[in-house]
Amino acid sequence: CILTAKKTLLTTDIENPIVEYTPLCLEIGRVAAGFLSKVDEWGVTVTFYNNVHGRVPARRLAAELGVEDPRMNYNIGDAVAARLLDCFKRRHKEENGGYYYQLELSLKTVLDTAEKSVEAQETVNSSSVGEKDLSAVPLAAGSILMSKRMKVLQLVNSLRRSDGTFLPGYAVVSIKSKFLTGVTSNSDSVECKLSFDQLMDSYGDELSCPPVELDSVAQKELKVGKRIDKEGLILSVPNGGEPIISLRSSLIDTIRNEASSSDDFSIVCPSPSSNLFMGAYVRGYVARKDERFGSFVRFLNGLTGLIPKLKKGLDESLYETILCKVTALDITSSPPKILLKKVSESDISKKKRKIESRNKGSVSQRQIQVGDLIGDVKVTDINFARAKVQLIDKAFFGANIRARIHVTMAEPIAAKPKLSKQEKKAKDEHKIGKSHPFYSWKAGDVIKGVRCVAVDTRDGVSFVELANRSEKSDLVSSSPIVVSDPSQLPPGSLVHSIVTSVSASSPHFGVWVQVCPGISGFVPALELSSDPDILNDIESNYKVGTRLSCCVMEKSNPEKTPLRHQLQRDDHDNNTKEHNALELSVLLAEEQSNAKQAGFKPTKPQRGDVVVGRINKKMRVLGPPALMLNLRGTFTGRCCITELNDMDDWANMPLGKDPSNDSKSGSNEVQRVVSDSEADLSNNENDDDDEESRDEDKAKSEIREEYPDGKFIKCRVLGSARAKGAVELSLRDSRLEGDLEEDCVPEPNDMTHAYVISTTKKGCFVRISRYVEGRVILKELSDDFIPNPTVMFPPGRLVVGKVKRVTKHDGKQKGNRGLAATVDIDMRESVLLSSGNRITLDDIQENSKYTGVVTRIESYGVFVRIENSDVSGLAHVSECSDSYVKNIFDLYNPGDLVKVMVIKFDKEEKRLGFSLKASNFVDDDDSDDASLSDEASSSEEDSDEEEEEVKDALDERSDGEGDSDSDDENFVAKMAAKMEQAGDVHSDNDSESSDDSSADSDDDSESDEKSLEQRPEESLPQAMDANVGFDWGSTIKPTKITKLAESSDDESTDSSSDSSGDESEDEDAGFKSSHK
């Protein structure tokens, strides 16, 4: 144990000492005795019994006790009384780290007498001085703080980095929350930063480069724990950071005098939200000097201007308060870019006196009022936004008037003279096109019959806004032509506007317009026109300068409203305030006469409406695979993949492939080693296939480009979607023509097309129509083994299957997701191409013999599926051959056609045991072989008849439809090819059976070795892409079917000519035993 002999600890808290981190011991506000176990410049650590300890930061010591440096006032081992403020439970930063407790302490146990006197003095001052002077100020840039309201807590020295960057030091000051408004925290005080470069207006010649003397200046001016006896200014309030304070008296006086002065010669300290104009006088301080550009002058909230190097910007002193004039202004950026020129207050006074004397000597001018007919004016200068004009009437000679015609107030001149090359070049520089009202105007033209629409008089100068538009051109005569605030244009107001730019960036896709001087608006593309062809080429149909008649809409979501579009302004617009853009609509202006809704905004589309939507592939897809679209009025639309085209025009992967699926399929490809001979053979065989593959790739790229992001298309509304605010749409031609009838629910044994929704390890989910979905279990996806179902069946793949079972829903059943029916589908080719009744388990009898296909091979046996059925069984390794089987994998391959005899049938467990021994088939009667031969011949005859029927069907479709790529044609062609292949297999099996029955065991083993060596490597399972199996996107031509029939006839002739040909065919087919 560790003992203590400190008398303070022996006489304090004996009955209830702090020994653990429990609520019983750690009562908030409790005062307990402890000793200092650590003292540094950042604070002290107080330890109680059983190593329970807490921390008192240096800032709290300075704020509460006026301690400048804890190391000078405290030593390790000192016994102190500490008050508990709070206790936090925190987790260690290391992985799997435990928890620890952190105590916040204070060494101020009672209220100090000096503190009481200061508060009392403040109370007396507040009662003697007016309440307005001592009222709390907002916590915002530009607020002035009274003296002795800032207390220094800590001084942080300047920092000079290795790259030469110098960061001035700062002082942490505390301001009580009762002196501020808008404080979001619940603390009693607000900590702020007072940078060392904000202590005075000018540092003179005391600073070097870099100004390392700032630390010594700060130590003279500031004392930790003491209050600052100067007025302060909140310079900026960063988001999430501490407010910045300044003690510059010139800035404080400028802001104090700014409210009382409103003429053009008033000096301001601007912020990013201030309305600056050319010629304004501003006061700031030099924050940085750059040898490449000049001096950067900082104002409120980080607003910065530049005194260029060519204008002697490098002659200014660092951190000096400076008075400047705005010489250039770019308000298209945020914050605006400002060029400055240093001036003095004497220069301002001289200019002010000069203007006053000129006004006194000028002739008395006629008072101009809004609505007065001014008469004729002469154009002196033109740019995109305005035309400066001169009043010709003699009544205005000698008057100090500046007049202009804004682009929104102008109409083209009736006569359009031909422009010279120089004049056309000048128009192009100002982006004045043929649709612009000023295109036919030029300097020197006389505009007749202009009228005054706005007047603003400042410092003896009258700024007059004119218009040559007649009152008949206004949509609503009562609506004001010129407004100073968008609130003066309520929803439903009809206004004229001029297109200033076309925005193609999402989500603000549309046109920016100018409604009147200083007021801009935005027209979304969906509110411009109901013709998708016009919207897809919006730049050509809505050129800059085009006049539009619009209706002001209600703002549905102010947070997503686009900001005001910045335009070129001059001295006429110096009173314009920042505001959000008006939301306008051209379609509502056309429909307003017949509008029935109370508000002026697009309503939700109803079933049967034809609307225009914009494809948005960045939006979260509802019920994929589907196409999401933006509609008018911030509504969204969903087009199911089954509604993209009519069923006869369905295509594979209409929405394109998912790149993630392509990467997965690429990683699962099996690499093969190919010999030189095989490579030469494959090159000769694939010469014709390359051109076909290129055609297929081109067709797929065209399909993917059919629905690009941002394309406008016409849709038919089918109803409301399950998601709030969304509607169901259709792009089918039949729907657009008026057919709103839902697709029929398929019946059992129907052949149906569907799109893949998703694929898992258990199977595949497909969508037949909007209200009909289906599922396919894994074993019914394909007759062959599928190494990666998710790659073979990606979402959006077009598949075909036979309906097994249909489950209809009444719409009220829970969990059906609004579906009308769900179906079970079988997609295996053997099921699709089979005719007649299939063999079931009830038809199986012991000792019966069947023909089957090897599906899987294991070390303990072979799994075989009986042909034309779903019945499978196991042939144990002992029943696979009459002789000893050393390696069963050398004897059989998946896909081998074999004969099986049922030797065991467990009806309860529904298990079948097969035998593949050749001895079970040697004693068969000739009738059996004959029957098999008859079956083969009959099936061949049937296939020939069906082949001719298929050819006739293909000829009829080709005569009626030409070169059609429909799914039915592909399906018929595929069936014809499969039927002919099935006939070849039967004929080969008959010849093989006769040959194998006469061969001895030596020939069998030799045949096995040859077939094993010559096994084609294409039989190995490889990763498959999304176009394997039935390729519904391509067409099998009838000429290929004829060649296939001819080749099958040749093969049968060759097989009957000599036995050597039969052996080679057996080896190529991969047969391993004599009874196959």
Side-chain angles (χ1 to χ4, degrees):
C1 62
I2 300 176
L3 304 179
T4 180
K6 295 182 179 293
K7 293 182 180 181
T8 304
L9 300 180
L10 294 176
T11 58
T12 308
D13 299 331
I14 299 299
E15 296 180 357
N16 185 22
I18 298 179
V19 296
E20 57 184 353
Y21 295 98
T22 59
L24 182 61
C25 294
L26 303 177
E27 182 181 354
I28 303 300
R30 176 184 177 182
V31 178
F35 67 95
L36 300 182
S37 58
K38 184 179 180 181
V39 179
D40 54 22
E41 59 180 329
W42 307 110
V44 298
T45 300
V46 181
T47 302
F48 305 99
Y49 295 95
N50 205 16
N51 201 27
V52 177
H53 59 276
R55 185 75 174 170
V56 183
R59 291 187 182 182
R60 184 173 291 118
L61 291 174
E64 297 176 347
L65 303 177
V67 176
E68 182 175 354
D69 189 352
R71 295 172 295 181
M72 302 296 294
N73 297 79
Y74 300 100
N75 295 316
I76 295 178
D78 291 349
V80 295
R83 180 163 52 93
L84 180 61
L85 301 179
D86 208 341
C87 179
F88 300 97
K89 185 179 180 180
R90 304 186 184 277
R91 191 181 186 92
H92 288 286
K93 295 182 180 180
E94 296 80 5
E95 294 184 1
N96 300 326
Y99 291 93
Y100 69 95
Y101 292 89
Q102 182 176 354
L103 301 182
E104 284 193 6
L105 304 175
S106 173
L107 298 185
K108 183 180 179 181
T109 57
V110 294
L111 188 61
D112 191 18
T113 307
E115 190 73 17
K116 289 182 179 180
S117 62
V118 172
E119 293 185 355
Q121 184 64 28
E122 290 178 351
T123 305
V124 173
N125 293 338
S126 62
S127 60
S128 59
V129 185
E131 183 180 358
K132 183 178 179 180
D133 295 335
L134 288 179
S135 61
V137 297
L139 183 60
S143 298
I144 300 175
L145 301 170
M146 294 187 63
S147 61
K148 294 187 177 181
R149 289 194 173 179
M150 297 169 288
K151 188 175 183 180
V152 181
L153 303 182
Q154 186 180 1
L155 297 179
V156 180
N157 293 330
S158 302
L159 176 63
R160 185 176 183 181
R161 296 177 178 173
S162 57
D163 57 355
T165 305
F166 179 80
L167 300 179
Y170 62 90
V172 179
V173 298
S174 174
I175 305 173
K176 290 189 176 182
S177 300
K178 65 180 181 180
F179 298 139
L180 300 171
T181 60
V183 180
T184 57
S185 61
N186 296 325
S187 60
D188 296 335
S189 61
V190 177
E191 292 186 356
C192 306
K193 284 186 178 180
L194 174 58
S195 181
F196 291 168
D197 59 355
Q198 299 296 326
L199 301 179
M200 54 187 67
D201 286 322
S202 178
Y203 291 84
D205 299 332
E206 298 180 5
L207 302 181
S208 59
C209 186
V212 293
E213 297 83 4
L214 286 177
D215 294 344
S216 59
V217 174
Q219 291 176 1
K220 295 178 182 179
E221 297 289 334
L222 305 176
K223 298 295 181 182
V224 176
K226 303 297 181 181
R227 295 179 180 270
I228 301 176
D229 193 12
K230 288 183 179 180
E231 287 185 326
L233 170 68
I234 301 179
L235 198 61
S236 64
V237 183
N239 293 330
E242 296 178 340
I244 308 299
I245 305 297
S246 176
L247 301 181
R248 295 177 182 268
S249 58
S250 298
L251 295 183
I252 296 174
D253 294 338
T254 300
I255 293 177
R256 182 178 285 114
N257 298 329
E258 184 178 341
S260 59
S261 179
S262 60
D263 56 8
D264 291 345
F265 299 98
S266 60
I267 304 172
V268 297
C269 185
S271 66
S273 60
S274 299
N275 186 26
L276 283 178
F277 58 91
M278 297 282 294
Y281 295 100
V282 294
R283 194 188 299 275
Y285 68 95
V286 179
R288 182 167 63 93
K289 295 175 63 175
D290 194 317
E291 297 293 337
R292 299 169 297 176
F293 308 107
S295 295
F296 291 90
V297 181
R298 188 73 48 83
F299 306 101
L300 296 180
N301 259 348
L303 181 65
T304 306
L306 173 65
I307 302 178
K309 179 180 178 180
L310 298 177
K311 299 296 182 180
K312 300 181 179 181
L314 297 178
D315 296 342
E316 309 303 330
S317 301
L318 188 62
Y319 304 138
E320 182 180 2
T321 306
I322 190 173
L323 178 61
C324 304
K325 180 181 179 181
V326 178
T327 58
L329 184 64
D330 181 10
I331 59 175
T332 59
S333 61
S334 181
K337 298 177 181 179
I338 308 171
L339 288 183
L340 304 171
K341 175 186 177 182
K342 182 180 179 181
V343 296
S344 61
E345 294 188 3
S346 60
D347 297 335
I348 300 176
S349 300
K350 290 179 181 179
K351 187 174 182 180
K352 188 175 182 179
R353 289 193 298 269
K354 182 178 180 181
I355 293 178
E356 290 176 353
S357 61
R358 184 178 61 185
N359 293 337
K360 290 180 181 179
S362 61
V363 297
S364 59
Q365 59 189 45
R366 196 185 84 184
Q367 187 68 24
I368 300 178
Q369 297 181 356
V370 176
D372 291 349
L373 182 63
I374 304 300
D376 299 344
V377 295
K378 184 178 181 181
V379 179
T380 58
D381 185 36
I382 297 177
N383 61 20
F384 179 88
R386 56 98 185 108
K388 290 184 178 181
V389 296
Q390 180 182 357
L391 305 184
I392 301 178
D393 195 339
K394 296 181 179 180
F396 302 105
F397 283 174
N400 196 3
I401 298 176
R402 298 182 186 179
R404 73 169 184 181
I405 300 178
H406 196 263
V407 64
T408 58
M409 304 291 107
E411 282 187 353
I413 301 177
K416 294 184 177 182
K418 293 183 179 180
L419 302 178
S420 62
K421 293 183 178 180
Q422 185 176 1
E423 291 175 342
K424 289 183 178 180
K425 184 178 179 181
K427 300 288 186 183
D428 294 339
E429 291 179 356
H430 293 291
K431 299 180 180 180
I432 300 177
K434 292 183 178 180
S435 57
H436 197 282
F438 291 155
Y439 182 75
S440 58
W441 293 26
K442 59 182 179 180
D445 289 348
V446 176
I447 309 299
K448 298 182 179 181
V450 298
R451 190 177 297 272
C452 176
V453 293
V455 179
D456 182 21
T457 303
R458 300 192 303 270
D459 300 325
V461 180
S462 296
F463 297 92
V464 182
E465 195 78 56
L466 304 177
N468 71 326
R469 284 171 48 193
S470 61
E471 294 183 357
K472 296 181 180 180
S473 63
D474 294 334
L475 292 174
V476 181
S477 58
S478 60
S479 299
I481 298 178
V482 178
V483 295
S484 59
D485 191 86
S487 60
Q488 300 178 13
L489 294 174
S493 301
L494 297 177
V495 296
H496 284 302
S497 60
I498 297 294
V499 178
T500 57
S501 65
V502 178
S503 174
S505 61
S506 181
H508 303 144
F509 187 83
V511 296
W512 290 96
V513 297
Q514 185 89 350
V515 178
C516 63
I519 303 296
S520 62
F522 179 75
V523 185
L526 293 171
E527 297 293 338
L528 284 170
S529 173
S530 57
D531 189 349
D533 295 333
I534 294 178
L535 298 180
N536 286 323
D537 192 10
I538 190 172
E539 293 185 356
S540 300
N541 293 284
Y542 295 94
K543 295 182 178 180
V544 175
T546 305
R547 186 181 298 278
L548 299 177
S549 298
C550 307
C551 175
V552 180
M553 295 193 299
E554 294 181 2
K555 292 187 177 181
S556 56
N557 191 351
E559 296 181 357
K560 295 184 179 180
T561 302
L563 294 178
R564 178 179 187 273
H565 185 51
Q566 302 288 352
L567 299 172
Q568 181 180 355
R569 297 187 293 178
D570 53 20
D571 47 9
H572 280 67
D573 305 321
N574 64 340
N575 289 330
T576 303
K577 299 179 179 179
E578 295 291 331
H579 61 81
N580 289 336
L582 289 171
E583 292 186 19
L584 305 175
S585 173
V586 175
L587 297 179
L588 283 180
E590 298 173 356
E591 301 169 357
Q592 187 173 4
S593 59
N594 299 324
K596 298 181 180 180
Q597 67 271 19
F600 296 93
K601 62 180 180 180
T603 58
K604 185 176 181 180
Q606 303 298 322
R607 176 178 171 84
D609 293 345
V610 177
V611 297
V612 175
R614 182 172 183 260
I615 298 175
N616 189 348
K617 292 190 175 181
K618 300 179 180 64
M619 189 189 304
R620 183 176 66 89
V621 180
L622 303 176
L627 192 67
M628 300 303 296
L629 299 96
N630 294 114
L631 305 179
R632 289 181 61 191
T634 67
F635 295 103
T636 58
R638 172 187 176 272
C639 180
C640 179
I641 191 173
T642 60
E643 294 292 335
L644 295 176
N645 291 293
D646 291 316
M647 284 190 175
D648 295 338
D649 299 328
W650 279 6
N652 188 31
M653 306 295 290
L655 298 178
K657 292 184 181 180
D658 188 357
S660 60
N661 291 335
D662 295 341
S663 61
K664 293 179 182 177
S665 62
S667 61
N668 293 329
E669 292 183 356
V670 179
Q671 301 294 332
R672 298 176 55 239
V673 180
V674 184
S675 61
D676 296 338
S677 59
E678 289 177 338
D680 296 338
L681 181 61
S682 63
N683 290 333
N684 295 331
E685 292 177 350
N686 293 333
D687 287 341
D688 297 334
D689 297 337
D690 292 339
E691 185 175 355
E692 296 180 0
S693 63
R694 285 194 294 268
D695 295 340
E696 291 179 0
D697 295 340
K698 182 178 180 181
K700 293 175 185 176
S701 62
E702 291 176 356
I703 291 176
R704 283 194 292 269
E705 294 177 357
E706 187 176 355
Y707 306 104
D709 186 31
K711 181 181 179 181
F712 292 90
I713 50 179
K714 187 170 290 187
C715 324
R716 174 77 71 172
V717 180
L718 301 180
S720 298
R722 289 190 291 269
K724 184 178 180 181
V727 295
E728 289 285 347
L729 304 174
S730 176
L731 305 183
R732 294 184 181 181
D733 294 336
S734 59
R735 302 283 196 199
L736 296 175
E737 293 173 359
D739 183 13
L740 297 180
E741 185 178 356
E742 298 294 341
D743 297 334
C744 299
V745 178
E747 299 295 335
N749 297 324
D750 285 353
M751 304 288 290
T752 182
H753 290 77
Y755 282 108
V756 176
I757 300 176
S758 61
T759 305
T760 63
K761 295 181 179 179
K762 295 183 180 180
C764 184
F765 293 92
V766 297
R767 183 176 297 153
I768 301 173
S769 65
R770 284 200 310 137
Y771 295 117
V772 181
E773 293 184 359
R775 65 176 181 178
V776 187
I777 61 177
L778 185 62
K779 68 177 183 179
E780 294 179 352
L781 287 174
S782 175
D783 292 318
D784 301 325
F785 171 70
I786 303 177
N788 195 343
T790 57
V791 176
M792 185 175 178
F793 296 97
R797 178 184 172 180
L798 182 63
V799 296
V800 66
K802 179 179 285 188
V803 179
K804 296 169 51 181
R805 182 171 56 255
V806 179
T807 304
K808 296 185 178 181
H809 306 288
D810 57 0
K812 298 181 180 180
Q813 185 178 356
K814 294 183 179 180
N816 57 14
R817 306 186 309 280
L819 298 176
T822 53
V823 300
D824 292 335
I825 301 176
D826 195 330
M827 290 168 42
R828 289 175 293 181
E829 296 182 11
S830 59
V831 176
L832 298 178
L833 300 176
S834 64
S835 59
N837 297 326
R838 295 171 60 83
I839 300 175
T840 62
L841 196 62
D842 297 334
D843 301 331
I844 304 298
Q845 300 292 332
E846 289 190 9
N847 298 323
S848 57
K849 300 176 183 179
Y850 302 93
T851 303
V853 178
V854 176
T855 58
R856 186 158 56 97
I857 303 172
E858 302 292 346
S859 59
Y860 50 82
V862 177
F863 290 91
V864 181
R865 187 186 71 250
I866 298 176
E867 279 193 331
N868 195 26
S869 71
D870 295 330
V871 180
S872 298
L874 173 65
H876 193 265
V877 65
S878 60
E879 294 292 336
C880 289
S881 179
D882 292 310
S883 59
Y884 171 71
V885 179
K886 184 176 181 181
N887 189 355
I888 193 172
F889 296 97
D890 296 338
L891 195 61
Y892 297 98
N893 284 327
D896 288 349
L897 187 65
V898 296
K899 289 182 179 181
V900 297
M901 185 176 73
V902 181
I903 61 176
K904 184 178 180 181
F905 185 13
D906 188 350
K907 294 185 178 180
E908 294 182 359
E909 299 291 337
K910 296 183 180 182
R911 294 181 179 177
L912 294 177
F914 293 152
S915 176
L916 301 179
K917 290 183 179 180
S919 58
N920 294 329
F921 307 96
V922 172
D923 296 336
D924 289 352
D925 296 336
D926 295 337
S927 59
D928 295 338
D929 296 336
S931 63
L932 291 173
S933 176
D934 293 340
E935 281 184 22
S937 62
S938 63
S939 63
E940 184 175 0
E941 292 175 1
D942 295 340
S943 64
D944 293 338
E945 294 177 0
E946 293 178 0
E947 176 190 343
E948 293 187 2
E949 293 178 0
V950 168
K951 291 178 181 179
D952 295 339
L954 288 173
D955 294 339
E956 292 177 2
R957 292 183 66 87
S958 62
D959 295 338
E961 300 180 5
D963 297 335
S964 175
D965 294 337
S966 66
D967 298 339
D968 296 336
E969 181 180 344
N970 296 334
F971 178 65
V972 173
K974 193 69 176 181
M975 288 181 61
K978 289 290 181 179
M979 290 174 185
E980 291 192 355
Q981 293 177 5
D984 296 340
V985 172
H986 284 302
S987 62
D988 292 342
N989 290 341
D990 294 339
S991 61
E992 291 162 7
S993 177
S994 61
D995 294 339
D996 292 342
S997 61
S998 62
D1000 55 6
S1001 60
D1002 296 338
D1003 295 337
D1004 293 342
S1005 60
E1006 183 178 358
S1007 176
D1008 292 342
E1009 294 175 359
K1010 291 182 179 180
S1011 61
L1012 180 63
E1013 294 174 357
Q1014 299 179 3
R1015 186 196 316 174
E1017 295 184 20
E1018 287 77 0
S1019 62
L1020 296 175
Q1022 298 182 9
M1024 292 171 277
D1025 59 7
N1027 297 316
V1028 298
F1030 287 104
D1031 189 2
W1032 303 106
S1034 59
T1035 305
I1036 300 178
K1037 298 181 181 179
T1039 55
K1040 293 187 178 180
I1041 300 176
T1042 306
K1043 291 181 181 179
L1044 183 60
E1046 293 175 358
S1047 62
S1048 62
D1049 295 337
D1050 296 338
E1051 290 176 1
S1052 61
T1053 305
D1054 295 339
S1055 62
S1056 61
S1057 61
D1058 58 280
S1059 60
S1060 61
D1062 295 337
E1063 293 175 359
S1064 63
E1065 289 175 1
D1066 292 347
E1067 293 170 357
D1068 294 338
F1071 293 112
K1072 302 304 180 189
S1073 61
S1074 58
H1075 68 276
K1076 295 182 188 176

